[in-house]
């Protein structure tokens, strides 16, 4: 991480600008800017997403059957989530809203492998250095190499947990990254008995290590509750999908929203009607959109998604070990929602345990070796696919024309839902830990710790083409300006 200190040029006052650029140990590129007055009191904090992807635009005009493979290129960390969300949306286009048992379970197995490997990667590789060594510890030690030296067994378990999840993905999707296993209407492969036996040989150890990870995070909370309960904490609504019985379900369900007190305010919303529930706002200083609940408006309608929301939004987790850990987590909240960002890690490890347990159940189900893999029916021109990605609720929405080409694409990714919460967290942390103090790398790392708690995927979240000013300057070979064009935020010149 590097940072710079300079006089703000956008304001005639004496405010100074501090930039954390880039934010480290996250997927994608982003920065944080802070404006401080002459007494080093923080006046403004913003998280900026500075890269642009544009998938919503350039996917238009492509045949719909290419989409589940194309959209994976948004990200190398969570390609499975986009692969499945797109496939689910296009199931409706090909007349297959319900899949065969084999196809449904194989997709779920693929997805739970993704949940497991992504949660392991984030906690052990990206976040554990902060949690195990301290936010202001030696920067050269605060990384996965340092964890491996000081806590070799923890590091080993993190590597092997992710390896197991990646192997599940390889066998169901064809490759560990950017596979092709899901197609509109079903899947194109099943598991052999030998492949199932190979995974079953390691699944019990995976479950045990996942449970150990839950207990590790719980110990960290119990050892320093003042930090873990208060760091960057703020109240907000929460949103996720839940299963038909209110259970935690990463793959399918209806939308549920609770308010900051934990009361259900919206429930049972068909994901095909998500636009009635959610709207999106754009702001001039970020490529990432700001979603909010339509009924509440942008000021009070923003919400959290992801593990912290899911574990508290569901009524139960349908696997015994994870459900027992969920109850401990809920009891820790003493009857109210837990809003502290650092609690994301605890909830994330509970979900990893649930994923490991569920993978074992699927591996013992003969349907995943079935051969009835595809469904088709009357084609439609539109479909919405929603899935709980590792980072939170992921929506893919497509419209297809009569030539089977994509006419419209809208993506609301997990990190986009969490945009306002992340900004709120960094504001709270900056004012609590940085205001009035001489800034150091360790203090600025507090800001990054708050962002990492959400496990953001900044690459996935940049989709506001045409909503922000764009400046293009053409230079000749000597570096002299030849021409310049600028677009306004509404797309005009």
């Amino acid at each position: 991480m590097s940072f710079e200190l300079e006089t703000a040029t956008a304001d005639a006052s004496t405010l100074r600008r501090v930039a954390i650029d880039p934010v480290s140990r996250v997927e994608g590129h982003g920065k944080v800017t802070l404006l401080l007055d002459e007494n080093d009191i923080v006046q403004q904090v913003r998280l900026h997403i500075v890269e642009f992807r544009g998938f919503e635009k350039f996917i238009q005009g492509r045949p719909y059957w290419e989409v589940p493979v194309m959209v994976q290129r948004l990200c190398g960390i969570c390609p499975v989530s986009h692969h499945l969300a797109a496939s689910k949306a296009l199931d409706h286009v090909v007349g297959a809203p319900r899949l065969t048992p084999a196809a449904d379970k194989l997709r779920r197995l693929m997805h739970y492998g993704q949940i497991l490997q992504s949660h392991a990667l984030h906690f052990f590789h990206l976040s554990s250095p902060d949690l195990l060594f301290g936010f202001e510890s030696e920067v050269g030690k605060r990384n996965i190499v340092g964890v491996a030296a000081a806590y070799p067994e923890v590091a080993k378990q993190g590597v092997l947990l992710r390896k197991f999840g990646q192997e599940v993905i390889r066998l169901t999707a064809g490759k560990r990254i950017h596979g092709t296993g899901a197609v509109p209407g079903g899947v194109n492969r099943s598991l052999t008995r030998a492949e199932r036996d190979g995974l079953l040989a390691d699944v019990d150890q995976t479950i045990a290590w996942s449970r150990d990870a839950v207990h590790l995070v719980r110990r960290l909370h119990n050892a320093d509750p003042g930090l873990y309960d208060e760091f960057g904490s703020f109240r907000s609504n929460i949103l996720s999908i839940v299963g038909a019985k209110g259970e935690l379900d990463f793959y399918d369900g209806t939308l549920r929203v609770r308010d900051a007190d934990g009361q259900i305010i919206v429930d049972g919303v068909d994901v095909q009607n998500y636009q009635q529930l959610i709207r999106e706002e754009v702001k001039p200083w970020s490529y990432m959109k700001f979603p909010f609940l339509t009924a509440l408006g942008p000021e009070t309608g923003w919400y959290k998604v992801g593990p912290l929301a899911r574990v508290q939004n569901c009524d139960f987790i349908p696997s015994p070990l994870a459900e027992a850990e969920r109850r401990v987590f809920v009891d820790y909240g003493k009857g109210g929602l837990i809003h502290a960002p650092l609690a994301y890690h605890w909830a994330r490890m509970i979900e990893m345990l649930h994923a490991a347990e569920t993978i074992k159940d699927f591996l013992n189900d003969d349907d995943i070796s079935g051969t009835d893999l595809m469904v088709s029916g009357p084609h439609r021109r539109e479909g919405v696919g929603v899935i709980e990605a590792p980072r939170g609720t992921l929506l893919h929405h497509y419209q297809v024309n009569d030539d089977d080409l994509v006419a419209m694409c809208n993506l609301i990714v997990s990190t986009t839902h969490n945009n306002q919460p992340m900004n709120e967290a960094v504001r709270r942390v900056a004012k609590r830990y940085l205001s009035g103090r001489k800034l150091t790398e360790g203090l600025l790392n507090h800001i990054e710790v708050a962002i990492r708690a959400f496990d953001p995927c900044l690459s996935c979240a940049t989709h506001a083409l045409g909503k922000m000013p764009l400046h293009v300057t053409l230079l000749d070979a000597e570096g002299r300006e030849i021409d310049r064009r600028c677009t306004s935020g509404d797309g005009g010149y």
Side-chain angles (χ1 to χ4, degrees):
M1 178 187 72
S2 63
F3 63 92
E4 56 181 312
L5 190 62
E6 61 185 54
T7 302
T9 58
D11 195 324
S13 73
T14 59
L15 292 180
R16 292 175 299 139
R17 174 179 175 269
V18 175
I20 304 172
D21 186 11
V23 176
S24 62
R25 280 188 276 138
V26 297
E27 202 290 320
H29 301 284
K31 70 176 182 178
V32 174
T33 58
L34 303 91
L35 295 182
L36 300 91
D37 63 19
E38 64 275 11
N39 297 315
D40 292 329
I41 304 301
V42 175
Q43 299 296 319
Q44 183 186 90
V45 186
R46 283 176 174 170
L47 170 64
H48 304 264
I49 310 305
V50 295
E51 63 177 323
F52 177 72
R53 307 288 271 181
F55 271 71
E56 288 174 322
K57 289 297 181 182
F58 67 69
I59 207 168
Q60 293 179 14
R62 305 303 305 173
Y64 73 80
W65 55 82
E66 294 182 354
V67 170
V69 174
M70 290 182 64
V71 293
Q72 295 185 91
R73 269 62 186 182
L74 274 163
C75 180
I77 301 297
C78 45
V80 170
S81 302
H82 291 291
H83 184 55
L84 291 174
S87 297
K88 287 185 68 179
L90 294 166
D91 289 341
H92 294 274
V93 171
V94 300
R98 290 184 179 276
L99 304 183
T100 67
D104 180 79
K105 291 173 184 178
L106 282 159
R107 282 194 188 179
R108 287 175 179 270
L109 178 59
M110 185 193 307
H111 186 43
Y112 280 70
Q114 166 68 4
I115 293 286
L116 194 153
Q117 73 86 15
S118 180
H119 281 357
L121 170 66
H122 178 262
F123 177 73
F124 290 97
H125 292 70
L126 305 182
S127 291
S128 71
D130 299 314
L131 305 179
L132 295 174
F133 297 133
F135 303 169
E136 297 186 62
S137 58
E138 179 187 345
V139 65
K141 177 182 179 182
R142 202 191 316 130
N143 51 55
I144 186 58
V145 177
V147 172
Y151 302 92
E153 188 61 25
V154 170
K156 173 186 173 183
Q157 290 176 12
V159 170
L160 294 179
L161 281 165
R162 182 165 190 252
K163 179 183 178 181
F164 181 82
Q166 290 287 74
E167 188 65 6
V168 172
I169 294 169
R170 183 184 72 84
L171 294 174
T172 52
K175 295 192 295 182
R176 292 180 178 88
I177 301 174
H178 301 154
T180 59
V183 294
V187 296
N188 59 19
R189 69 184 66 235
S190 59
L191 266 63
T192 66
R193 184 71 251 182
E195 290 169 336
R196 293 167 62 185
D197 289 344
L199 292 172
L200 280 168
D202 295 326
V203 73
D204 286 331
Q205 183 64 75
T206 299
I207 292 171
W209 282 340
S210 297
R211 197 177 188 186
D212 289 344
V214 179
H215 295 166
L216 170 60
V217 182
R218 193 204 303 178
R219 288 196 300 271
L220 292 171
H221 275 258
N222 290 332
D224 195 352
L227 172 66
Y228 280 82
D229 295 349
E230 300 298 330
F231 183 82
S233 185
F234 59 92
R235 290 165 55 81
S236 75
N237 308 300
I238 61 174
L239 177 146
S240 72
I241 62 174
V242 296
K245 298 178 181 179
E247 74 275 16
L248 178 68
D249 192 326
F250 297 133
Y251 180 77
D252 200 21
T254 56
L255 292 164
R256 173 185 284 180
V257 181
R258 293 183 190 264
D259 64 19
D261 294 320
Q263 300 300 309
I264 295 176
I265 55 177
V266 177
D267 203 5
V269 176
D270 187 332
V271 296
Q272 302 301 310
N273 301 322
Y274 79 96
Q275 289 178 306
Q276 299 174 16
L277 179 64
I278 298 169
R279 293 183 62 187
E280 299 172 88
E281 184 180 33
V282 295
K283 296 186 180 182
W285 42 270
S286 179
Y287 282 116
M288 188 157 55
K289 295 180 283 191
F290 290 77
F292 60 90
L293 301 170
T294 305
L296 298 181
E299 294 300 317
T300 61
W302 51 277
Y303 49 85
K304 299 185 192 81
V305 299
L308 188 60
R310 290 189 293 243
V311 168
Q312 299 182 96
N313 205 17
C314 68
D315 297 328
F316 66 97
I317 296 178
S319 64
L321 298 179
E323 171 60 10
E325 298 296 344
R326 184 194 72 86
R327 290 181 178 274
V328 174
F329 182 83
V330 171
D331 289 344
Y332 187 87
K334 299 177 180 178
L337 288 187
I338 299 171
H339 289 289
L342 290 180
Y344 263 98
H345 300 300
W346 189 352
R348 190 171 287 117
M349 294 300 94
I350 294 173
E351 289 192 341
M352 187 172 74
L353 174 58
H354 171 54
E357 290 184 276
T358 305
I359 287 170
K360 181 177 180 179
D361 291 340
F362 283 132
L363 292 175
N364 284 308
D365 189 325
D366 287 337
D367 279 340
I368 64 167
S369 294
T371 57
D372 187 9
L373 304 179
M374 292 294 298
V375 175
S376 63
H379 279 219
R380 296 176 54 190
R381 299 186 60 174
E382 187 169 10
V384 177
V386 180
I387 203 166
E388 285 293 335
R391 294 155 178 83
T393 312
L394 170 65
L395 297 104
H396 278 230
H397 181 190
Y398 302 99
Q399 292 176 354
V400 176
N401 64 23
D402 291 336
D403 296 325
D404 290 340
L405 304 179
V406 176
M408 187 281 296
C409 168
N410 185 48
L411 310 177
I412 309 181
V413 307
S414 313
T415 300
T416 303
H417 291 292
N418 273 335
N419 192 2
Q420 186 64 33
M422 286 192 296
N423 274 278
E424 188 63 31
V426 298
R427 279 194 289 268
R428 299 292 179 107
V429 169
K431 292 186 177 183
R432 167 65 177 82
Y433 293 94
L434 275 64
S435 268
R437 301 181 65 181
K438 181 179 179 180
L439 297 183
T440 64
E441 188 279 335
L443 283 176
L444 289 173
N445 186 49
H446 284 64
I447 297 287
E448 298 197 69
V449 169
I451 295 170
R452 288 187 203 110
F454 293 86
D455 187 17
C457 182
L458 305 181
S459 297
C460 296
T462 56
H463 308 289
L465 183 62
K467 303 296 186 180
M468 291 183 63
L470 176 65
H471 303 271
V472 178
T473 302
L474 178 64
L475 305 178
D476 65 16
E478 303 300 324
R480 294 184 294 266
E481 182 176 319
I482 299 174
D483 199 2
R484 174 179 296 187
R485 291 288 186 270
C486 299
T487 65
S488 63
D490 60 6
Y493 288 88

